[in-house]
Amino acid sequence: MTTERFGTREEVIRWIKKVGIDNKVTVIISRSDTETGKRGRSNKIIFGCDKGGKHKISDSGTQSASKKCGCPFKIRSTPAKDGSGWKIDVKCGLHNHGLPDRLEGHSFIGRLTTDEKQHVADLAKRHVAPRNILLSLQDKFPENVTRITQVYKHKSVIEKEIRGPRSEIQHLFKLIEDAGYVYWSRKQDDSEVVKEIFWAHPDSVKLLNIFPIVLVMDNTYKTNKYRQPLFEIVGMTSTELTFAVGFAYMESEQTENFCWVLEKLKELFVKKDMCPQVILTDRDLALMKAIEVVFPNSINLLCRFHINKNVGAKCKQHVVNDLQKTIDTLWMEVVWASDEVEYGQRLHQLEQACVDYSGFINYVKDTWLTPHRHRFVGAWINRVLHLGNTTTNRIESAHWKLKQMLGNSIGDMVKCWEAMNNNLRLQLGNIRASFQKSFYEVEHAHVSPFYGYLRGSVSRAALRRIAEELLRVDYVGTNRQICGCTLRTSYGLPCACELGRYRVGGIPIPIDAVHVHWRKLTMEVELEIGEDDGSEVDMTAAMDELWRRFRSLDVIGKRALRSRVCELAYPTMTTLCPPPEKIKTKGGVKKKGKKPADYDVYRDPSYHEYVDKASQSSQRQSQPSQTSKKIKLSKKQPQFIVQFPNHIRSYIEDVVNVESDGNCGFRVITSLHGYGEDGWSMVRRELGLELIDKDRSTLYDKLFSNRLSAVRESLMIESFGSQPPEKWMSLPDMGYLIANRYNVVLVCLDNPCITFFPMTSSHSPNVSIYCIGFVNQNHWVQVNMKEGFPLPPVTLDWKKFRSHIATTWMLGFAGRMQHWQLLTPVLA
């Protein structure tokens, strides 16, 4: 209650709400009226509690709640008759409910004030996360009780106000136009759906024309809610910093799509005869074909890092563990061979080491060396001016920085463009700063008069490389044969023998000895247009022809031509629309609910990462390898299942067939072990090594007795083709070797069914269980079983020759073995 008078109705509202908040009461305006001169209209405001009124019961099936409980609290405010201002009368000062201790979470009290809304808008513009915006609000306005929902709502309001009535593509084109970007787009045939969009920042275009020697290209995924691949192109400055050239959202990754994007990239060069000398990519055949078409004079190198990773993954599949490191070293020596003679010698050494692994050496030759050695082997690429770019690490790093700026993969194209634009602004600032450092600052290692002509005229990155090369002069001298001149041919910088001649002559390094790429330390230059290129920007003839055609058309024709011209003149009025549904690309998850265990929202694991994870895991999964070529039998083909005992069929989930070439048993084991079906020769080799293992040689002498040589002979083969019956996998002999070698439990479904436990190790609760089946009296198949399936008995020889600690295997699986015994007599 108060006797105070208020000058305006706004002052009344402000005072009542403030007093209400001080008393933990939320006061709202129940009714109000304004005097208009008509009968019954007068100035008044009726205030009430926010819990006043009755709860309206809804028939909807949704869960709902209400604050309303019929609270009688009521205040009336009207202008005083003496004209002294607005007065306040408390009609009912009672509440029928308790008052809260605090007002956090209250939808009305938590509304943002004008200052708070401006603060949210400023932080949202800088892409601050909503949770951090809320914390900033609480720091700046201690009395604030806003919750994060209000922050999200206000961000949505801001975005709608900025976009207005424009569609997504219209707003995107407006932002691109306002920022001065160069861009092109095209739509799908007979549709207004956008097919591809390409854009480039004006400063990126300038950098491209200043540093056109090397470009790196690659696709990335999961950057937008439409799941379109993002094609990114980057280059390298004289200070060895990466700059983004352009971005393109593509409908698919076909040669035709890449050709369109590369044609637009070609138009960014000021001079018609200018093109990149080197283009670095992954082994994307469609992109490589497009490069041949659009840039036939450019050299297309392949990323060494991904090649080495893929070769290493194949090595793990085909080669035994003991030799993997040796073969990896030999492979790296092939890749780094300095000339063709050394290449031939290193390749011969690799072939000799892989004489027993034809699958691996054939893969290396057929996939990489024969078709592509000139794209990544040192003997060839050392002659190319690649400026040190032999991997796509630059563009992979650019992808990572962009996705850090994006934050998630569910934004539309506008959000993606904003993230790219902000990333570019930071990138360009770093590049300008690096130019200034090279121009003004001198590193201590470069104060020698030997660098006198280069200081301030050549980038510090180039000077560092020259200083490193200078260390070789002591043992290279001026001998070109020893030097190899790689720094000259690959970087455009003076090599060791060249530096030796300058040192002997007592002269500083001349500026002309450094490639012009390293001498460009500014981007504030006007791009030079060639003599024949000026006509390309003259539109006089085209405009005259357009007017002539316009005047010659009838009314309908003029309307059609005008609409086409308006699309160019007013891009923000475009009728293009984004893809209506998500497009499946090779970078996305193929099926809902089929995400990998360690699914990453930014990317999917590469092939070599899957192999690395499988090889490092201590628990081998009994599921078939992703790289194997197996035929899964459907439920409509139960011919193998009916060959297994009746009481075990209900526990069989699937039967996986393998190639029947006399190696089928070993194919099943290698598949279960995660190597892939084609690694069967590796299993033969490892089982042969198991036989001669010094720790278990006595065990096998007793177990096999006079059959030891026959078992050893059955593992040795003369060729990789079909094998005769004496080379087939036979049980129980191989069962003991497999269980011991891989420390697994091997279950054989045959007549009789047998379980093989390791004979020299103790029970492990996380052991892998391999289940195989013998069908048609001549073929082995992989049998995938349900969890906890019953285990058949072990052999008498296992009980006779196993070590004392191996007894724990039967104790650990006693329940499952008893389950088998209970099922067998009932269904016999």
Side-chain angles (χ1 to χ4, degrees), residues 493-612:
L493 296 173
C495 58
C497 65
E498 196 173 339
L499 294 172
R501 289 193 291 273
Y502 296 141
R503 176 182 282 183
V504 170
I507 59 174
I509 304 172
I511 189 70
D512 293 337
V514 178
H515 192 279
V516 68
H517 170 88
W518 305 102
R519 289 185 268 155
K520 297 175 180 177
L521 298 178
T522 181
M523 53 185 291
E524 311 304 326
V525 294
E526 292 294 329
L527 299 179
E528 298 179 1
I529 301 177
E531 296 180 0
D532 300 330
D533 299 329
S535 60
E536 290 190 352
V537 294
D538 185 4
M539 292 183 59
T540 305
M543 294 301 295
D544 292 343
E545 176 62 20
L546 196 62
W547 273 113
R548 188 193 67 76
R549 287 185 58 192
F550 184 78
R551 295 190 188 98
S552 64
L553 295 172
D554 56 16
V555 176
I556 303 300
K558 287 180 178 179
R559 287 177 182 172
L561 182 58
R562 181 181 179 278
S563 68
R564 291 167 61 188
V565 172
C566 285
E567 287 183 7
L568 297 175
Y570 309 105
T572 58
M573 303 300 291
T574 181
T575 57
L576 286 177
C577 60
E581 58 186 32
K582 294 181 180 180
I583 298 174
K584 292 183 179 180
T585 67
K586 71 180 183 183
V589 176
K590 303 304 179 185
K591 293 183 180 179
K592 187 176 181 180
K594 296 292 185 181
K595 298 177 181 178
D598 297 327
Y599 180 67
D600 183 359
V601 70
Y602 295 110
R603 59 185 291 277
D604 280 337
S606 300
Y607 160 74
H608 63 80
E609 291 175 292
Y610 280 113
V611 176
D612 288 346

Side-chain angles (χ1 to χ4, degrees), residues 56 59 150 168 202 218 293 662 675 731 771 780 783:
K56 295 180 181 179
D59 294 333
Q150 296 287 351
E168 178 185 331
D218 190 24
V293 173
Y675 291 156
L731 264 61
C771 187
W780 292 101
V783 184

Side-chain angles (χ1 to χ4, degrees), residues 582-808:
K582 294 181 180 180
I583 298 174
K584 292 183 179 180
T585 67
K586 71 180 183 183
V589 176
K590 303 304 179 185
K591 293 183 180 179
K592 187 176 181 180
K594 296 292 185 181
K595 298 177 181 178
D598 297 327
Y599 180 67
D600 183 359
V601 70
Y602 295 110
R603 59 185 291 277
D604 280 337
S606 300
Y607 160 74
H608 63 80
E609 291 175 292
Y610 280 113
V611 176
D612 288 346
K613 185 175 180 180
S615 65
Q616 293 169 3
S617 175
S618 61
Q619 298 179 12
R620 301 293 186 180
Q621 301 296 321
S622 60
Q623 296 297 325
S625 171
Q626 293 184 352
T627 57
S628 59
K629 303 174 182 178
K630 293 180 269 300
I631 306 167
K632 288 191 175 181
L633 300 183
S634 66
K635 294 181 180 179
K636 297 180 180 179
Q637 297 176 317
Q639 64 270 26
F640 288 166
I641 297 178
V642 298
Q643 297 187 46
F644 303 132
N646 292 334
H647 59 277
I648 200 64
R649 293 177 192 171
S650 60
Y651 294 92
I652 296 176
E653 286 188 339
D654 194 12
V655 178
V656 182
N657 197 8
V658 295
E659 186 177 346
S660 54
D661 59 351
N663 298 302
C664 55
F666 301 100
R667 288 180 180 276
V668 171
I669 299 302
T670 190
S671 176
L672 286 167
H673 203 53
Y675 291 156
E677 183 184 323
D678 293 334
W680 57 268
S681 60
M682 190 183 333
V683 172
R684 281 187 179 270
R685 180 182 178 84
E686 291 181 351
L687 295 184
L689 294 173
E690 174 65 23
L691 266 179
I692 60 175
D693 187 285
K694 62 180 181 179
D695 294 331
R696 289 189 281 266
S697 59
T698 305
L699 168 65
Y700 296 131
D701 287 337
K702 296 178 181 179
L703 182 63
F704 298 127
S705 187
N706 56 355
R707 294 185 297 107
L708 183 61
S709 59
V711 174
R712 185 183 295 112
E713 286 294 324
S714 68
L715 292 169
M716 300 173 64
I717 56 174
E718 297 178 355
S719 65
F720 287 90
S722 298
Q723 304 300 326
E726 59 269 17
K727 301 292 184 181
W728 294 359
M729 189 177 83
S730 60
L731 264 61
D733 296 340
M734 294 301 159
Y736 302 122
L737 296 177
I738 292 168
N740 291 337
R741 181 67 179 181
Y742 303 117
N743 199 41
V744 298
V745 176
L746 179 67
V747 177
C748 171
L749 301 183
D750 191 10
N751 188 16
C753 298
I754 308 172
T755 297
F756 297 89
F757 294 121
M759 304 178 73
T760 59
S761 64
S762 59
H763 172 259
S764 171
N766 297 322
V767 68
S768 295
I769 302 179
Y770 294 174
C771 187
I772 62 177
F774 194 60
V775 297
N776 298 337
Q777 300 299 315
N778 63 357
H779 187 55
W780 292 101
V781 293
Q782 176 183 329
V783 184
N784 296 334
M785 307 295 291
K786 294 180 180 178
E787 191 71 23
F789 69 96
L791 297 182
V794 298
T795 65
L796 293 175
D797 282 344
W798 186 89
K799 294 179 180 180
K800 182 178 179 181
F801 297 108
R802 53 104 179 110
S803 65
H804 178 70
I805 61 172
T807 310
T808 55

Side-chain angles (χ1 to χ4, degrees), residues 99-100 167 188 196 200 233 277 294 346 368 378 448 519 587 616 619:
L99 300 180
S167 68
Q188 297 176 359
E196 273 96 24
I233 306 166
Q277 294 184 31
V294 181
R346 300 303 185 189
W368 299 111
S448 168
R519 289 185 268 155
Q616 293 169 3
Q619 298 179 12

Side-chain angles (χ1 to χ4, degrees), residues 13 111 128 155 449 562 797 808:
I13 295 171
R111 291 180 182 176
V128 178
K155 281 189 64 179
R562 181 181 179 278
D797 282 344
T808 55

Side-chain angles (χ1 to χ4, degrees), residues 41-274:
R41 302 293 298 274
S42 61
N43 291 325
K44 64 179 178 181
I45 306 175
I46 308 298
F47 296 94
C49 176
D50 69 330
K51 295 176 75 67
K54 295 182 179 180
H55 172 49
K56 295 180 181 179
I57 300 176
S58 174
D59 294 333
S60 65
T62 58
Q63 185 178 2
S64 61
S66 174
K67 298 189 294 287
K68 306 296 184 182
C69 64
C71 180
F73 179 80
K74 184 178 180 180
I75 295 178
R76 180 185 175 91
S77 179
T78 57
K81 292 182 179 180
D82 58 3
S84 58
W86 287 71
K87 63 180 181 178
I88 293 176
D89 296 323
V90 179
K91 298 299 182 181
C92 179
L94 300 178
H95 294 272
N96 65 352
H97 56 86
L99 300 180
D101 295 331
R102 296 181 62 83
L103 293 173
E104 271 85 358
H106 197 286
S107 59
F108 186 81
I109 304 299
R111 291 180 182 176
L112 296 169
T113 64
T114 303
D115 292 340
E116 291 170 346
K117 287 180 179 179
Q118 184 60 47
H119 188 64
V120 172
D122 292 340
L123 295 180
K125 187 177 180 181
R126 300 293 173 240
H127 298 276
V128 178
R131 62 180 180 276
N132 295 326
I133 294 177
L134 180 59
L135 292 172
S136 179
L137 280 173
Q138 293 172 351
D139 291 340
K140 189 172 183 179
F141 307 98
E143 71 282 359
N144 181 277
V145 292
T146 299
R147 306 317 300 154
I148 199 166
T149 304
Q150 296 287 351
V151 177
Y152 276 108
K153 287 181 178 179
H154 190 60
K155 281 189 64 179
S156 178
V157 170
I158 294 171
E159 291 172 1
K160 289 180 180 178
E161 289 177 351
I162 293 174
R163 181 171 296 190
R166 292 185 293 271
S167 68
E168 178 185 331
I169 301 299
Q170 289 174 347
H171 188 54
L172 174 64
F173 285 175
K174 180 182 184 303
L175 293 174
I176 290 176
E177 287 276 344
D178 292 345
Y181 274 63
V182 181
Y183 70 101
W184 292 271
S185 66
R186 64 172 178 169
K187 60 185 180 181
Q188 297 176 359
D189 296 336
D190 303 324
S191 171
E192 293 299 319
V193 176
V194 66
K195 186 174 183 179
E196 273 96 24
I197 299 180
F198 178 93
W199 62 69
H201 192 280
D203 286 338
S204 297
V205 176
K206 187 177 291 186
L207 286 170
L208 172 65
N209 285 274
I210 296 172
F211 305 105
I213 295 177
V214 178
L215 295 182
V216 189
M217 307 175 180
D218 190 24
N219 266 323
T220 188
Y221 310 93
K222 299 177 185 175
T223 61
N224 61 94
K225 65 181 182 180
Y226 308 111
R227 295 180 67 180
Q228 282 195 321
L230 175 64
F231 187 65
E232 187 172 3
I233 306 166
V234 302
M236 189 188 82
T237 67
S238 59
T239 54
E240 293 190 348
L241 291 185
T242 302
F243 67 91
V245 176
F247 302 88
Y249 275 116
M250 305 193 305
E251 181 186 45
S252 61
E253 299 172 72
Q254 305 297 322
T255 301
E256 187 269 338
N257 304 91
F258 284 122
C259 282
W260 183 86
V261 173
L262 295 180
E263 286 289 352
K264 301 311 172 189
L265 170 65
K266 194 174 184 179
E267 294 187 34
L268 297 181
F269 290 101
V270 174
K271 298 180 179 179
K272 290 197 300 183
D273 59 346
M274 185 182 291

